[in-house]
Coordinates of all heavy atoms in Angstrom, one line a residue:
M286 N 123.3 163.9 140.0 CA 122.0 164.2 139.8 C 121.2 163.2 138.9 O 121.8 162.7 138.0 CB 121.9 165.5 139.1 CG 120.5 166.0 138.8 SD 120.5 167.4 137.6 CE 119.8 168.6 138.6
D287 N 120.1 162.7 139.3 CA 119.4 161.6 138.5 C 118.7 162.2 137.3 O 118.2 163.4 137.5 CB 118.4 161.0 139.5 CG 119.0 160.2 140.5 OD1 120.1 159.7 140.4 OD2 118.2 160.0 141.6
A288 N 118.6 161.5 136.3 CA 117.9 161.9 135.1 C 116.4 161.8 135.3 O 116.0 160.9 136.1 CB 118.4 161.1 134.0
I289 N 115.6 162.8 134.9 CA 114.3 162.7 135.1 C 113.7 162.6 133.6 O 113.9 163.4 132.7 CB 113.7 164.1 135.5 CG1 114.3 164.3 137.1 CG2 112.2 164.1 135.6 CD1 113.8 165.6 137.7
R290 N 112.9 161.6 133.5 CA 112.1 161.4 132.2 C 111.0 162.4 132.2 O 110.2 162.7 133.1 CB 111.5 160.0 132.1 CG 112.8 159.0 131.8 CD 112.3 157.6 131.7 NE 111.6 157.2 133.1 CZ 110.7 156.3 133.2 NH1 110.4 155.6 132.2 NH2 110.4 156.1 134.5
I291 N 110.8 163.0 131.0 CA 109.7 164.0 130.9 C 108.3 163.4 131.1 O 107.4 164.1 131.6 CB 109.8 164.7 129.5 CG1 108.9 165.9 129.4 CG2 109.5 163.8 128.4 CD1 109.3 167.1 130.3
T292 N 108.2 162.1 130.9 CA 106.9 161.5 131.0 C 106.6 161.3 132.6 O 105.5 161.1 132.9 CB 106.9 160.0 130.3 OG1 108.0 159.3 130.9 CG2 107.0 160.2 129.0
T293 N 107.6 161.4 133.4 CA 107.3 161.2 134.9 C 107.5 162.4 135.6 O 107.2 162.5 136.9 CB 108.2 160.1 135.5 OG1 109.6 160.5 135.3 CG2 107.9 158.7 134.8
A294 N 107.9 163.5 135.0 CA 108.1 164.8 135.7 C 106.7 165.4 136.0 O 105.7 165.3 135.3 CB 108.9 165.8 134.7
G295 N 106.6 165.8 137.3 CA 105.4 166.4 137.7 C 105.1 167.9 137.0 O 105.9 168.4 136.6
S296 N 103.9 168.3 137.2 CA 103.5 169.5 136.6 C 104.0 170.6 137.6 O 104.2 170.3 138.8 CB 102.0 169.6 136.4 OG 101.3 169.3 137.6
S297 N 104.0 171.9 137.2 CA 104.4 173.0 138.1 C 103.4 173.1 139.2 O 102.1 172.8 139.0 CB 104.6 174.2 137.2 OG 103.2 174.7 136.7
P298 N 103.7 173.8 140.3 CA 102.7 174.0 141.3 C 101.4 174.8 140.9 O 100.4 174.4 141.2 CB 103.5 174.7 142.4 CG 104.9 174.3 142.2 CD 105.0 174.1 140.8
Q299 N 101.6 175.7 140.1 CA 100.7 176.6 139.6 C 99.7 175.8 138.7 O 98.4 175.9 138.7 CB 101.2 177.8 138.7 CG 101.9 178.8 139.5 CD 103.4 178.4 139.8 OE1 103.9 177.4 139.1 NE2 104.0 179.0 140.6
D300 N 100.2 174.9 137.8 CA 99.4 174.1 137.0 C 98.7 173.1 137.7 O 97.4 172.7 137.5 CB 100.2 173.3 135.8 CG 100.7 174.3 134.8 OD1 100.2 175.4 134.6 OD2 101.9 173.9 134.2
D301 N 99.3 172.5 138.7 CA 98.6 171.6 139.6 C 97.4 172.2 140.4 O 96.4 171.5 140.5 CB 99.7 170.9 140.6 CG 99.2 169.9 141.4 OD1 98.6 168.9 140.8 OD2 99.3 169.8 142.6
L302 N 97.6 173.3 140.9 CA 96.7 174.1 141.7 C 95.4 174.2 140.7 O 94.4 174.1 141.0 CB 97.2 175.3 142.3 CG 96.1 176.0 143.1 CD1 95.6 175.3 144.2 CD2 96.8 177.4 143.6
A303 N 95.8 174.8 139.5 CA 94.7 175.1 138.5 C 93.8 173.9 138.2 O 92.7 173.9 138.1 CB 95.3 175.7 137.3
R304 N 94.6 172.6 138.0 CA 94.0 171.5 137.7 C 93.0 171.1 138.9 O 91.9 170.7 138.7 CB 94.9 170.3 137.5 CG 94.4 169.0 137.1 CD 95.4 168.0 137.0 NE 96.4 167.9 138.1 CZ 96.2 167.2 139.2 NH1 94.9 166.5 139.3 NH2 96.9 167.2 140.2
R305 N 93.5 171.1 140.1 CA 92.7 170.7 141.3 C 91.5 171.6 141.4 O 90.3 171.2 141.7 CB 93.5 170.8 142.5 CG 94.6 169.7 142.5 CD 95.6 169.9 143.7 NE 96.7 169.0 143.7 CZ 96.9 168.1 144.6 NH1 96.0 168.0 145.6 NH2 98.0 167.4 144.5
Q306 N 91.7 173.0 141.3 CA 90.6 174.0 141.3 C 89.5 173.6 140.3 O 88.3 173.7 140.6 CB 91.1 175.3 141.3 CG 91.8 175.8 142.5 CD 92.5 177.2 142.4 OE1 92.7 177.7 141.3 NE2 92.8 177.8 143.5
K307 N 89.9 173.3 139.1 CA 89.0 173.1 138.0 C 88.2 171.9 138.4 O 86.9 171.8 138.2 CB 89.7 172.9 136.8 CG 88.8 172.6 135.5 CD 89.6 172.5 134.2 CE 88.8 172.2 133.1 NZ 89.5 172.0 131.8
K308 N 88.7 170.7 138.8 CA 88.0 169.5 139.2 C 87.0 169.9 140.3 O 85.9 169.4 140.3 CB 89.0 168.5 139.6 CG 89.8 167.8 138.5 CD 90.6 166.6 139.1 CE 91.3 166.0 137.9 NZ 92.1 164.9 138.4
Y309 N 87.5 170.6 141.3 CA 86.5 171.0 142.4 C 85.4 171.9 142.0 O 84.3 171.6 142.4 CB 87.4 171.6 143.4 CG 86.5 171.8 144.7 CD1 86.4 170.9 145.7 CD2 86.0 173.0 144.9 CE1 85.7 171.0 146.9 CE2 85.2 173.3 146.2 CZ 85.0 172.3 147.0 OH 84.4 172.5 148.2
V310 N 85.6 172.8 141.1 CA 84.6 173.7 140.6 C 83.5 172.8 139.8 O 82.3 173.0 140.0 CB 85.2 174.8 139.8 CG1 84.1 175.5 139.0 CG2 85.8 175.8 140.8
I311 N 84.1 171.9 138.9 CA 83.2 171.1 138.1 C 82.3 170.3 139.1 O 81.1 170.2 138.9 CB 84.0 170.2 137.2 CG1 84.6 171.1 136.0 CG2 83.1 169.0 136.5 CD1 85.6 170.4 135.2
A312 N 82.9 169.6 140.1 CA 82.2 168.8 141.0 C 81.0 169.6 141.9 O 79.9 169.1 141.9 CB 83.0 168.1 141.9
M313 N 81.4 170.8 142.2 CA 80.5 171.5 142.9 C 79.4 172.1 142.0 O 78.2 172.4 142.5 CB 81.3 172.8 143.7 CG 82.1 172.3 144.8 SD 81.2 171.6 146.1 CE 81.4 169.8 145.9
T314 N 79.6 172.4 140.7 CA 78.7 172.8 139.8 C 77.7 171.7 139.6 O 76.4 171.8 139.7 CB 79.3 173.2 138.5 OG1 80.3 174.3 138.7 CG2 78.2 173.5 137.5
I315 N 78.1 170.4 139.5 CA 77.3 169.2 139.4 C 76.4 169.1 140.7 O 75.2 168.9 140.5 CB 78.0 168.0 139.1 CG1 78.7 168.0 137.7 CG2 77.2 166.7 139.3 CD1 79.7 167.0 137.5
R316 N 77.1 169.3 141.7 CA 76.2 169.4 143.1 C 75.1 170.3 143.1 O 74.1 170.0 143.6 CB 77.1 169.6 144.3 CG 76.5 169.5 145.6 CD 77.4 169.9 146.7 NE 76.8 169.5 148.1 CZ 76.8 170.3 149.1 NH1 77.7 171.4 149.1 NH2 76.2 170.0 150.2
T317 N 75.5 171.6 142.7 CA 74.4 172.6 142.6 C 73.2 172.2 141.7 O 72.1 172.4 142.0 CB 75.0 174.0 142.2 OG1 76.1 174.3 143.1 CG2 74.0 175.1 142.2
L318 N 73.6 171.7 140.5 CA 72.6 171.2 139.5 C 71.8 170.0 140.3 O 70.5 170.0 139.9 CB 73.3 170.7 138.4 CG 74.0 171.8 137.5 CD1 74.7 171.3 136.3 CD2 72.8 172.9 136.9
C319 N 72.4 169.2 141.1 CA 71.6 168.2 141.7 C 70.6 168.7 142.7 O 69.5 168.3 142.6 CB 72.5 167.2 142.6 SG 73.4 166.0 141.5
F320 N 70.9 169.8 143.4 CA 70.1 170.4 144.3 C 68.9 171.0 143.5 O 67.6 171.0 143.9 CB 70.7 171.5 145.2 CG 71.3 171.0 146.4 CD1 72.7 171.2 146.7 CD2 70.5 170.3 147.4 CE1 73.2 170.7 148.0 CE2 71.0 169.8 148.5 CZ 72.4 169.9 148.8
V321 N 69.3 171.8 142.5 CA 68.2 172.5 141.7 C 67.3 171.4 141.0 O 66.1 171.6 141.0 CB 68.9 173.3 140.6 CG1 67.8 173.9 139.6 CG2 69.5 174.5 141.3
G322 N 67.9 170.3 140.5 CA 67.0 169.2 139.8 C 66.1 168.6 140.9 O 65.1 168.3 140.6
A323 N 66.7 168.4 142.1 CA 66.0 167.7 143.1 C 64.6 168.6 143.5 O 63.5 168.1 143.6 CB 66.6 167.5 144.4
A324 N 64.9 170.0 143.5 CA 63.8 170.9 143.8 C 62.7 170.9 142.6 O 61.5 170.8 142.9 CB 64.3 172.3 144.0
I325 N 63.2 170.9 141.5 CA 62.3 170.9 140.3 C 61.6 169.6 140.2 O 60.3 169.5 140.0 CB 63.0 171.1 139.1 CG1 63.7 172.7 139.1 CG2 62.2 170.9 137.7 CD1 64.6 173.0 137.8
S326 N 62.2 168.4 140.3 CA 61.6 167.2 140.3 C 60.6 167.0 141.4 O 59.6 166.4 141.2 CB 62.6 166.0 140.2 OG 63.3 165.9 141.5
G327 N 60.9 167.5 142.6 CA 60.0 167.4 143.7 C 58.8 168.2 143.5 O 57.6 167.7 143.8
A328 N 58.9 169.4 142.9 CA 57.8 170.2 142.6 C 56.9 169.8 141.4 O 55.7 169.8 141.4 CB 58.3 171.6 142.2
A329 N 57.7 169.0 140.4 CA 56.9 168.4 139.4 C 56.3 167.1 139.6 O 55.6 166.5 138.8 CB 57.9 168.3 138.1
G330 N 56.5 166.6 140.9 CA 55.9 165.4 141.3 C 56.6 164.1 140.8 O 56.1 163.0 140.8
I331 N 57.9 164.2 140.5 CA 58.7 163.1 140.1 C 59.3 162.6 141.4 O 60.5 162.8 141.8 CB 59.7 163.4 139.1 CG1 59.0 164.0 137.9 CG2 60.5 162.1 138.6 CD1 60.0 164.6 136.9
H332 N 58.6 161.7 142.1 CA 59.0 161.4 143.6 C 60.1 160.4 143.7 O 60.8 160.2 144.7 CB 57.8 160.9 144.3 CG 56.7 161.9 144.5 ND1 56.8 163.0 145.1 CD2 55.4 161.9 143.9 CE1 55.7 163.7 145.1 NE2 54.9 163.1 144.4
W333 N 60.4 159.7 142.6 CA 61.6 158.7 142.5 C 62.9 159.5 142.3 O 63.9 159.0 142.6 CB 61.4 157.6 141.6 CG 61.2 158.1 140.1 CD1 60.1 158.5 139.5 CD2 62.2 158.3 139.2 NE1 60.4 158.9 138.2 CE2 61.7 158.7 138.1 CE3 63.6 158.0 139.4 CZ2 62.5 159.0 136.9 CZ3 64.5 158.3 138.3 CH2 63.9 158.8 137.0
L334 N 62.8 160.6 141.6 CA 64.1 161.2 141.2 C 64.7 162.1 142.2 O 66.0 162.2 142.4 CB 63.8 162.0 139.8 CG 65.1 162.7 139.2 CD1 66.1 161.8 138.9 CD2 64.6 163.5 138.1
W335 N 64.0 163.0 143.0 CA 64.6 163.8 143.9 C 65.3 163.2 144.9 O 66.4 163.8 145.3 CB 63.5 164.9 144.4 CG 62.5 164.3 145.4 CD1 61.3 163.8 145.1 CD2 62.7 164.2 146.7 NE1 60.6 163.5 146.3 CE2 61.6 163.6 147.3 CE3 63.8 164.5 147.7 CZ2 61.4 163.3 148.7 CZ3 63.6 164.1 149.0 CH2 62.4 163.6 149.5
P336 N 65.0 162.0 145.5 CA 66.0 161.4 146.5 C 67.3 161.1 146.0 O 68.3 161.2 146.7 CB 65.2 160.3 147.1 CG 63.8 160.4 146.7 CD 63.9 161.2 145.5
I337 N 67.3 160.6 144.8 CA 68.6 160.2 144.0 C 69.4 161.5 143.9 O 70.6 161.5 144.1 CB 68.3 159.5 142.7 CG1 67.6 158.3 142.9 CG2 69.6 159.3 142.0 CD1 67.0 157.6 141.6
L338 N 68.9 162.6 143.5 CA 69.5 164.0 143.2 C 70.1 164.4 144.6 O 71.2 164.9 144.7 CB 68.7 164.9 142.5 CG 68.5 164.5 141.1 CD1 67.3 165.5 140.5 CD2 69.7 164.5 140.3
I339 N 69.3 164.3 145.6 CA 69.7 164.8 147.0 C 70.9 163.8 147.5 O 71.9 164.4 148.0 CB 68.5 164.7 148.0 CG1 67.5 165.9 147.6 CG2 69.1 164.9 149.5 CD1 68.0 167.3 147.7
A340 N 70.8 162.6 147.2 CA 71.9 161.7 147.6 C 73.2 162.1 147.0 O 74.3 162.1 147.5 CB 71.6 160.3 147.5
G341 N 73.0 162.4 145.6 CA 74.1 162.8 144.8 C 74.9 164.1 145.4 O 76.0 164.2 145.5
A342 N 74.0 165.1 145.7 CA 74.4 166.4 146.3 C 75.0 166.2 147.6 O 75.9 166.9 148.0 CB 73.1 167.2 146.3
I343 N 74.7 165.2 148.4 CA 75.4 164.9 149.7 C 76.6 164.3 149.5 O 77.6 164.7 150.4 CB 74.4 164.0 150.6 CG1 73.1 164.9 151.0 CG2 75.1 163.6 151.8 CD1 72.1 164.1 151.6
V344 N 76.8 163.4 148.6 CA 78.0 162.7 148.3 C 79.1 163.4 147.6 O 80.4 163.3 147.8 CB 77.8 161.3 147.6 CG1 79.0 160.5 147.4 CG2 76.8 160.4 148.5
L345 N 78.7 164.3 146.8 CA 79.6 165.0 145.9 C 80.6 165.8 146.6 O 81.8 165.9 146.0 CB 78.9 165.8 144.8 CG 78.5 165.2 143.5 CD1 77.6 165.9 142.6 CD2 79.8 164.9 142.8
P346 N 80.4 166.4 147.7 CA 81.5 167.2 148.3 C 82.7 166.3 148.7 O 83.8 166.7 148.4 CB 80.9 167.9 149.6 CG 79.5 167.9 149.3 CD 79.2 166.7 148.4
Y347 N 82.5 165.2 149.2 CA 83.5 164.2 149.4 C 84.3 163.7 148.2 O 85.6 163.8 148.1 CB 82.9 163.0 150.2 CG 84.0 161.8 150.4 CD1 84.9 162.0 151.3 CD2 83.8 160.7 149.4 CE1 85.7 160.8 151.5 CE2 84.9 159.8 149.7 CZ 85.8 159.7 150.6 OH 86.8 158.7 150.7
V348 N 83.5 163.6 147.2 CA 84.0 163.0 145.8 C 84.9 164.3 145.4 O 86.0 164.0 144.9 CB 83.0 162.7 144.9 CG1 83.5 162.5 143.4 CG2 82.2 161.3 145.4
A349 N 84.4 165.4 145.4 CA 85.1 166.7 144.9 C 86.5 166.8 145.6 O 87.5 167.1 145.0 CB 84.3 167.9 145.1
V350 N 86.5 166.7 146.9 CA 87.7 166.8 147.7 C 88.7 165.7 147.3 O 89.9 165.9 147.2 CB 87.4 166.8 149.3 CG1 88.7 166.8 150.1 CG2 86.7 168.1 149.6
V351 N 88.1 164.3 147.2 CA 89.1 163.5 146.8 C 89.6 163.5 145.5 O 90.9 163.4 145.3 CB 88.3 162.0 147.0 CG1 89.3 160.9 146.4 CG2 88.1 161.7 148.4
M352 N 88.9 164.0 144.5 CA 89.4 164.2 143.2 C 90.3 165.4 143.2 O 91.3 165.3 142.6 CB 88.2 164.6 142.2 CG 87.3 163.3 141.8 SD 86.0 163.8 140.8 CE 86.3 165.3 139.9
A353 N 90.1 166.5 144.0 CA 90.9 167.6 144.0 C 92.3 167.3 144.6 O 93.4 167.8 144.3 CB 90.2 168.7 144.6
N354 N 92.3 166.4 145.5 CA 93.5 166.1 146.2 C 94.3 164.8 145.7 O 95.2 164.5 146.1 CB 93.2 165.9 147.7 CG 92.9 167.1 148.4 OD1 93.3 168.2 148.0 ND2 92.0 167.0 149.4
A355 N 93.6 164.3 144.6 CA 94.3 163.1 144.0 C 95.6 163.4 143.6 O 95.8 164.5 142.7 CB 93.4 162.4 143.0
G356 N 96.7 162.5 143.6 CA 97.9 162.8 143.0 C 98.0 162.6 141.7 O 97.0 162.1 141.1
D357 N 99.1 163.1 141.1 CA 99.3 162.8 139.6 C 99.5 161.2 139.4 O 100.2 160.6 140.2 CB 100.6 163.6 139.2 CG 100.8 163.7 137.7 OD1 99.9 163.1 137.0 OD2 101.5 164.4 137.3
S358 N 98.8 160.8 138.3 CA 98.9 159.3 138.2 C 100.0 158.9 137.3 O 100.2 157.7 137.0 CB 97.6 158.9 137.4 OG 97.6 159.5 136.1
R359 N 100.9 159.7 137.0 CA 102.2 159.3 136.3 C 103.1 158.4 137.1 O 103.1 158.6 138.4 CB 103.0 160.6 135.8 CG 102.1 161.4 135.0 CD 103.1 162.6 134.5 NE 102.2 163.7 134.3 CZ 102.6 164.9 133.7 NH1 103.8 165.0 133.7 NH2 101.8 165.8 133.5
S360 N 103.6 157.5 136.5 CA 104.4 156.4 137.2 C 105.8 156.4 136.6 O 106.1 156.5 135.5 CB 103.8 155.1 137.1 OG 104.5 154.1 137.7
S361 N 106.9 156.1 137.6 CA 108.1 156.0 137.1 C 108.5 154.5 137.1 O 109.7 154.1 137.1 CB 109.2 156.7 138.1 OG 109.1 156.2 139.3
E362 N 107.6 153.6 137.0 CA 107.8 152.2 137.0 C 108.5 151.6 135.7 O 109.1 150.5 135.8 CB 106.7 151.3 137.5 CG 106.3 151.7 138.9 CD 105.0 151.0 139.2 OE1 104.5 150.1 138.5 OE2 104.3 151.3 140.2
L363 N 108.3 152.2 134.7 CA 108.9 151.7 133.4 C 110.2 152.1 133.4 O 110.9 153.0 133.8 CB 108.2 152.5 132.3 CG 106.7 152.1 132.2 CD1 106.1 153.0 131.1 CD2 106.3 150.8 131.8
P364 N 111.1 151.1 132.8 CA 112.5 151.4 132.8 C 112.9 152.5 131.8 O 112.2 152.8 130.8 CB 113.1 150.1 132.2 CG 111.9 149.4 131.5 CD 110.7 149.9 132.1
L365 N 114.1 153.1 132.0 CA 114.5 154.0 131.1 C 115.0 153.5 129.8 O 115.4 152.4 129.8 CB 115.8 154.8 131.8 CG 115.5 155.6 133.0 CD1 116.7 156.1 133.7 CD2 114.6 156.8 132.6
T366 N 114.9 154.2 128.8 CA 115.4 153.7 127.5 C 116.8 153.4 127.5 O 117.6 154.1 128.3 CB 115.1 154.6 126.3 OG1 115.8 155.8 126.6 CG2 113.6 154.8 126.1
G367 N 117.4 152.5 126.8 CA 118.7 152.2 126.9 C 119.1 151.0 127.9 O 120.3 150.9 128.1
G368 N 118.0 150.5 128.5 CA 118.4 149.5 129.5 C 118.5 149.8 130.9 O 118.6 149.0 131.8
G369 N 118.3 151.1 131.2 CA 118.6 151.4 132.6 C 117.3 151.2 133.3 O 116.2 151.0 132.7
D370 N 117.2 151.1 134.6 CA 116.1 150.8 135.4 C 115.9 152.1 136.4 O 116.8 152.1 137.3 CB 116.2 149.5 136.1 CG 114.8 149.1 136.8 OD1 113.9 149.9 136.7 OD2 114.9 148.0 137.4
A371 N 114.8 152.7 136.4 CA 114.7 153.9 137.3 C 114.5 153.4 138.7 O 114.8 154.1 139.6 CB 113.4 154.6 136.9
Q372 N 114.1 152.1 139.0 CA 113.9 151.6 140.3 C 115.2 150.8 140.8 O 115.1 150.2 141.9 CB 112.7 150.7 140.3 CG 111.4 151.5 139.8 CD 111.1 152.7 140.7 OE1 111.1 152.6 141.9 NE2 110.7 153.7 140.2
R373 N 116.2 150.7 140.1 CA 117.3 149.9 140.5 C 117.9 150.5 141.8 O 118.2 151.8 141.9 CB 118.3 149.9 139.3 CG 119.7 149.0 139.6 CD 120.6 148.9 138.5 NE 120.0 148.1 137.5 CZ 120.5 148.0 136.3 NH1 121.5 148.7 136.0 NH2 119.8 147.4 135.4
Q374 N 118.3 149.6 142.7 CA 119.1 150.0 143.9 C 120.2 149.1 144.1 O 120.2 148.0 143.5 CB 118.0 149.8 145.1 CG 117.0 150.7 144.9 CD 116.0 150.5 146.2 OE1 116.3 149.8 147.0 NE2 115.0 151.3 146.2
L375 N 121.2 149.6 144.7 CA 122.4 148.8 145.1 C 122.0 147.7 146.1 O 121.3 147.8 147.0 CB 123.5 149.6 145.6 CG 124.1 150.7 144.7 CD1 125.1 151.5 145.5 CD2 124.7 150.0 143.5
G376 N 122.5 146.5 145.8 CA 122.3 145.3 146.6 C 123.6 145.0 147.3 O 124.6 145.7 147.3
Q377 N 123.6 143.9 148.1 CA 124.7 143.4 148.9 C 125.9 142.9 147.8 O 125.4 142.3 146.7 CB 124.4 142.3 149.8 CG 123.5 142.7 150.9 CD 123.1 141.6 151.9 OE1 123.5 140.5 151.7 NE2 122.6 141.9 153.0
A378 N 127.1 143.0 148.2 CA 128.2 142.5 147.3 C 128.1 141.0 147.4 O 127.9 140.5 148.5 CB 129.6 143.1 147.8
H379 N 128.4 140.4 146.2 CA 128.4 138.9 146.1 C 129.9 138.5 146.0 O 130.7 139.0 145.3 CB 127.6 138.5 144.8 CG 126.2 138.8 144.9 ND1 125.4 138.2 145.8 CD2 125.5 139.8 144.2 CE1 124.1 138.7 145.4 NE2 124.2 139.7 144.6
H380 N 130.2 137.4 146.8 CA 131.4 136.6 146.6 C 131.3 135.5 145.6 O 130.2 135.0 145.4 CB 131.9 136.1 148.0 CG 132.0 137.1 149.1 ND1 133.1 137.9 149.0 CD2 131.3 137.4 150.1 CE1 133.1 138.8 150.1 NE2 131.9 138.4 150.8
D381 N 132.4 135.1 145.1 CA 132.3 134.0 144.1 C 131.8 132.7 144.7 O 131.9 132.6 145.9 CB 133.7 133.8 143.4 CG 134.7 133.3 144.3 OD1 134.6 133.6 145.5 OD2 135.7 132.8 143.9
E382 N 131.3 131.9 143.8 CA 130.5 130.7 144.4 C 131.3 129.8 145.2 O 130.7 128.9 145.9 CB 130.0 129.9 143.1 CG 129.3 130.9 142.2 CD 127.7 130.6 142.2 OE1 127.4 129.4 142.5 OE2 127.1 131.4 141.8
Q383 N 132.6 129.6 145.3 CA 133.4 128.7 146.0 C 133.5 129.1 147.5 O 134.0 128.4 148.3 CB 134.8 128.4 145.4 CG 134.8 127.6 144.2 CD 134.6 128.5 142.9 OE1 134.8 129.7 143.0 NE2 134.3 127.8 141.9
G384 N 133.1 130.3 147.7 CA 133.2 130.8 149.1 C 134.5 131.4 149.4 O 134.8 132.1 150.5
G385 N 135.3 131.7 148.4 CA 136.7 132.3 148.7 C 136.4 133.8 148.1 O 135.5 134.2 147.8
H386 N 137.6 134.5 148.2 CA 137.7 135.8 147.8 C 138.2 136.1 146.4 O 138.6 137.2 146.1 CB 138.5 136.6 148.8 CG 137.8 136.7 150.1 ND1 136.9 136.0 150.6 CD2 138.1 137.6 151.2 CE1 136.4 136.3 151.8 NE2 137.2 137.3 152.2
G387 N 138.4 135.0 145.7 CA 138.9 135.1 144.3 C 140.3 134.3 144.2 O 140.8 133.9 145.2
A388 N 140.8 134.4 143.1 CA 142.1 133.6 142.9 C 143.2 134.4 143.1 O 143.7 135.5 143.0 CB 142.2 133.0 141.6

């Protein structure tokens, strides 16, 4: 069994789902505020603001899905303490330099 460093261990499925749902709800709340802001700015005669808010409201669903589906950014590229390397793999066997099999 391989050792797992706590810094690279993934979160539980329940925590991961809760994190994704929270990110999605935040993005959709911002999208709703963009729509409301666009309606208010359009009614108030701020003609340069409402198209920007509508564009944000159109793009935010894509951004929300990408953010919600983004993987955990933790990495196992750092070596283990004590000199071990988490990415080490076995290579080909090396013969001694003279081309023989030893003495």
Side-chain angles (χ1 to χ4, degrees):
M286 179 194 246
D287 292 332
I289 298 176
R290 291 179 291 161
I291 193 67
T292 56
T293 60
S296 56
S297 71
Q299 295 83 9
D300 291 342
D301 185 49
L302 181 62
R304 178 185 56 82
R305 291 172 189 248
Q306 286 175 337
K307 182 178 177 182
K308 286 183 176 184
Y309 187 80
V310 166
I311 289 170
M313 289 297 102
T314 301
I315 294 170
R316 180 182 190 221
T317 302
L318 292 174
C319 283
F320 273 125
V321 171
I325 292 171
S326 65
I331 307 172
H332 299 293
W333 62 270
L334 181 59
W335 71 265
I337 295 170
L338 293 173
I339 292 293
I343 291 171
V344 172
L345 269 171
Y347 173 76
V348 172
V350 169
V351 169
M352 282 177 28
N354 290 329
D357 197 351
S358 63
R359 296 182 209 180
S360 174
S361 64
E362 293 177 9
L363 297 173
L365 293 172
T366 59
D370 185 1
Q372 303 298 321
R373 182 178 288 170
Q374 296 179 0
L375 294 176
Q377 294 181 349
H379 295 288
H380 295 289
D381 59 340
E382 307 251 340
Q383 288 89 12
H386 290 16

